[in-house]
Every structure is written in C-alpha cells, then in structure tokens.
Amino acid sequence: MKLFLDTANQAEVEEAVKMGVISGVTTNPSLVAKEGGDYLERVTYFCNLVGGPISVEVLSTDAAGMLQEARELAKLHENIVIKLPITAESLGVIKQLREEGIKTNATLCFSANQAILAARAGATYVSPFVGRLNDIGQDGMVLIEEIRTIYRNFGYNTEIIVASIRNPRQVTEAALIGADIATIPFKVLQQMLNHPQTDLGIAKFEADWANRK
Ligand code: E4P
C-alpha cells in the first residue's frame, strides 16, 4: 500500500519526504485555508519535491467552472491531480479530463455506489472518507471493503485512497483490506513510527554498550 500525506503544510511534506515513505500528497480547501500564502506556488513545490501525485481540489460546483479550473491547475505541473467531489456535475468532467489525459481524484466518497460512479466516469483515484463516516456512527472500513470487492469483481483500475484517517490502526486496517493508498495526516505518520518498546530498546542497548567490559 502506498502512503500519501494529507496536508498543505510545507514543513510536514519536507519532513515526510526526508523519511522516504510518502509517494504523494492530498490537499483540500480546508487544509489549504489553514496555511495561507500562495497555495499554487506551494503545490507546485510539492510536485517537484515529492515527485508523485499532488491532489488539488476545484472550488467550482458547476461543470463548466470545474473544467476551467481543472485545466488551469493541470498546467502547473504534470504531477497535479484534480480533486472533485462526486456530484452530478463532476462525473462528466471526470470523463472529459480523462480523455484529455488529466488525472482526477473523486473525493467526498461516502458510499459504494458513489465509488462505482467514479470508476465508471474514469477517475484515476477515489477517496472514501472513513473518519467522517465513523463520526456519524458508521463503520468507515466496511465501505473500504465494499469498494475493494466491487473494484476487484469488475477490474476497475481506479485506485482507492483511504481518506479522513484519524489514527494509526486505520492505516493497518486499510492495508489488510488491500486499499491501494492511505492518505494520512502528519500526526498519524508519527504515530505509525513510534513504539515505546523501540525507545526502551534503544536506551537499553546504549546503556549496555556504555557499560561494556
Ligand atoms: C482527503 O483527501 C481529505 O483531504 C481528508 O482526508 C479529509 O480528512 P478529515 O475528514 O479529517 O478532514
């Protein structure tokens, strides 16, 4: 399973790239709004630094506006992926962008049927939001299982990005199900790495070495 970082923060992307474990970045309007500054410049920087797909979301809600924004954003860099919420307006846009060779990420996916529509439209990626489903009392991972099964049944090649991840256990579960990608906040990346036994083990090796005969 590939790991993407879910952030618009430059320091976090730089740190994760240094670790060598992320192969893409996902942003959304809320994440971008938190950072300020010139976000187009920053996502272009991410494209060069990460060397993989960087999802940037359109803000228009009508098909013509989405298409125009998508084409402008795609000109920034070949690694730009256009993120569009799954709506009646966006499906045709996703299809059109595929024909133009522009990659898309169908986002705000909350049902298997939405994921089928995204795949039929030709989305490069689909982003089911597990955390937000858990927030309303559903089991987000059940949705990931359903989409994985459906995509396997019909050979859809849209890649599943497990999104809205809130804790490290969800990363393990996404991998066990066979999701293609988990997009994770920087905090979850740190939580994946840390283990008290690793820290204790290092401290003990250091102490034993310092007391060697
Ligand atoms: C993914 O593409 C989204 O940007 C993100 O995972 C949403 O996460 P949230 O539900 O924690 O805001």
Side-chain angles (χ1 to χ4, degrees), residues 100-182:
E100 296 178 21
I102 297 173
K103 291 187 173 150
T104 55
N105 176 351
T107 191
L108 289 170
C109 174
F110 292 95
S111 75
N113 284 334
Q114 287 179 322
I116 292 171
L117 293 171
R120 293 300 311 166
T124 317
Y125 304 100
V126 67
S127 290
F129 277 38
V130 293
R132 293 192 198 185
L133 277 174
N134 293 352
D135 289 347
I136 56 165
Q138 294 185 32
D139 185 344
M141 282 300 160
V142 170
L143 174 60
I144 305 302
E145 279 168 5
E146 288 179 353
I147 299 173
R148 178 71 291 159
T149 302
I150 292 165
Y151 280 14
R152 194 180 296 124
N153 286 348
F154 298 99
Y156 292 143
N157 56 17
T158 300
E159 290 192 69
I160 304 168
I161 304 181
V162 181
S164 188
I165 284 183
R166 306 273 169 79
N167 62 62
R169 181 63 202 167
Q170 290 170 326
V171 182
T172 308
E173 287 171 3
L176 285 168
I177 292 167
D180 301 286
I181 299 148

Side-chain angles (χ1 to χ4, degrees), residues 35 40 47 51 61 63 72 83-84 97 101 103 106 117 124 128 133 135 137 161 169 175 192 204-205 213:
E35 301 301 324
L40 296 181
C47 286
T61 51
E72 285 304 312
K83 215 173 172 192
L84 308 100
L97 292 174
K103 291 187 173 150
L117 293 171
T124 317
L133 277 174
D135 289 347
I161 304 181
R169 181 63 202 167
M192 286 171 71
K204 179 155 172 33
F205 287 152
K213 298 203 169 91

